[in-house]
Amino acid sequence: MYRPKMVKGMVSGTGWPIDGHALYLTLWDYDKYSQYHLSNWEDADDEAVMKTMFQTEYDAGMCLADNLEEFEKQWKADEWEAQGSFCIPLNNVEVLETVYEEDKDWKPKRQQEGKANGS
């Protein structure tokens, strides 16, 4: 299995509500590490991420909600589903820490434990 590199990075200069927020981002070999992919975030960053998703999907004509209020209801009810991978240019992220490095031969712990136990 493949596991991309994951970092915690401070976003800035995008003009989106996530500017100034530290988010969990991944780098993938399939796009030649050309941009960060949003992976996760802390609860304190949820509103900024929600507003960013609405703004970018709405501006791209991909938003299924008519306005922010409707989008927020869907978001809070876990009914919203991304229309694709959310990417951030490399120059808009300051890496604060590396959570883990890329591993092209990664095995989940369960798989490793199963082999160790003879399963």
Side-chain angles (χ1 to χ4, degrees):
M1 290 181 72
Y2 174 78
R3 180 176 74 174
K5 178 177 183 174
M6 179 180 278
V7 302
K8 186 172 187 179
M10 183 68 68
V11 180
S12 65
T14 66
W16 299 324
I18 56 172
D19 282 350
H21 291 266
L23 309 173
Y24 294 95
L25 310 163
T26 53
L27 282 172
W28 292 78
D29 66 350
Y30 81 85
D31 68 355
K32 298 180 176 50
Y33 317 102
S34 63
Q35 54 197 344
Y36 285 105
H37 299 250
L38 179 62
S39 180
N40 208 344
W41 54 92
E42 303 289 341
D43 288 342
D45 303 307
D46 194 62
E47 184 172 348
V49 172
M50 178 202 59
K51 288 181 176 179
T52 299
M53 295 302 109
F54 172 75
Q55 178 183 335
T56 56
E57 285 192 0
Y58 189 84
D59 290 350
M62 297 171 55
C63 190
L64 302 177
D66 293 327
N67 54 54
L68 179 58
E69 294 75 26
E70 182 181 328
F71 185 86
E72 185 173 7
K73 286 179 187 173
Q74 293 172 1
W75 181 274
K76 289 182 176 180
D78 277 338
E79 295 172 351
W80 174 78
E81 197 167 314
Q83 298 299 305
S85 180
F86 187 81
C87 298
I88 303 169
L90 297 175
N91 62 341
N92 292 103
V93 175
E94 175 191 351
V95 175
L96 303 174
E97 69 178 277
T98 298
V99 178
Y100 48 76
E101 294 292 343
E102 173 185 50
D103 188 344
K104 293 184 178 186
D105 191 31
W106 179 71
K107 293 175 181 58
K109 284 187 178 187
R110 288 185 310 230
Q111 190 175 1
Q112 291 172 0
E113 290 168 2
K115 287 185 178 183
N117 294 331
S119 304

